[in-house]
Amino acid sequence: MQDDLTERAAPSRNVGRAHRIFVIIVAAVVGLDQVTKVWAARRLPGDPIRLLGSWLELEYAENTGAAFSMLQGRGAFLGVAAVAAVMIIAAAVTRLDRTSEVVAVSLIAGGAIGNLLDRMTRGEGFLDGFVVDFVRLWWIPNFNVADSAITIGAATMVALALFVPQERT
């Protein structure tokens, strides 16, 4: 953990390392997200799988909005916002001081790209496609791997900001 907090020694090495971490995590999240969505779209419609009673189910759903089904029908807006977020994250990733920050923003970018791919490929117009959601946990609306990555990445960034001291420069 100490290395994570003080890895400022070799900036050029850290830039390359940050890029590698970013690419690996983004590719892993997008790949896992898309594979699970293809499986869910083929296997689950009309036949949900109960894993832990009504507490955890795999149930197919199509979401044209954002998290918790907000902004329904605003796919183009959400798609453009996702592209902007990924561009900002990709540009900023080399400026991050900690590996944990790079991992967190990489999870967010991977999730944004995963859901963006759905919007691009599951509709007829510009970014008007739906996102495949298939995990239903207790009272939480259906979500997917991309949503989970975004949530974990955002929660990690908040935790780092609140609980990990910043070095003064």
Side-chain angles (χ1 to χ4, degrees):
M1 184 72 173
Q2 186 63 22
D3 288 341
D4 194 32
L5 297 174
T6 59
E7 64 178 29
R8 294 190 168 138
S12 62
R13 191 178 86 225
N14 285 345
V15 168
R17 184 169 180 262
H19 277 129
R20 283 191 303 278
I21 291 169
F22 180 78
V23 169
I24 290 167
I25 291 174
V26 167
V29 168
V30 171
L32 182 60
D33 178 63
Q34 292 301 300
V35 166
T36 57
K37 286 175 178 174
V38 167
W39 173 82
R42 289 182 182 161
R43 167 61 179 86
L44 296 176
D47 190 20
I49 298 172
R50 286 188 166 207
L51 298 174
L52 295 173
S54 62
W55 196 79
L56 176 62
E57 292 181 324
L58 301 179
E59 175 185 60
Y60 180 82
E62 297 175 355
N63 184 358
T64 62
F68 302 107
S69 298
M70 295 182 301
L71 300 173
Q72 288 294 314
R74 303 281 194 269
F77 168 76
L78 295 168
V80 170
V83 169
V86 170
M87 289 173 54
I88 291 167
I89 290 169
V93 75
T94 59
R95 293 184 182 98
L96 298 174
D97 293 328
R98 301 181 201 151
T99 301
S100 51
E101 292 172 333
V102 175
V103 169
V105 298
S106 299
L107 288 169
I108 294 167
I113 292 169
N115 284 337
L116 178 63
L117 286 173
D118 278 15
R119 293 189 191 289
M120 292 170 57
T121 61
R122 297 180 186 275
E124 295 180 20
F126 177 69
L127 297 174
D128 68 349
F130 58 88
V131 172
V132 171
D133 289 332
F134 62 92
V135 179
R136 193 176 69 72
L137 181 62
W138 195 30
W139 56 271
I140 299 171
N142 291 29
F143 60 95
N144 57 45
V145 171
D147 298 334
S148 299
I150 292 167
T151 302
I152 292 166
T156 300
M157 290 301 291
V158 169
L160 289 169
L162 292 176
F163 303 114
V164 178
Q166 296 288 323
E167 244 183 57
R168 297 185 197 270
T169 54

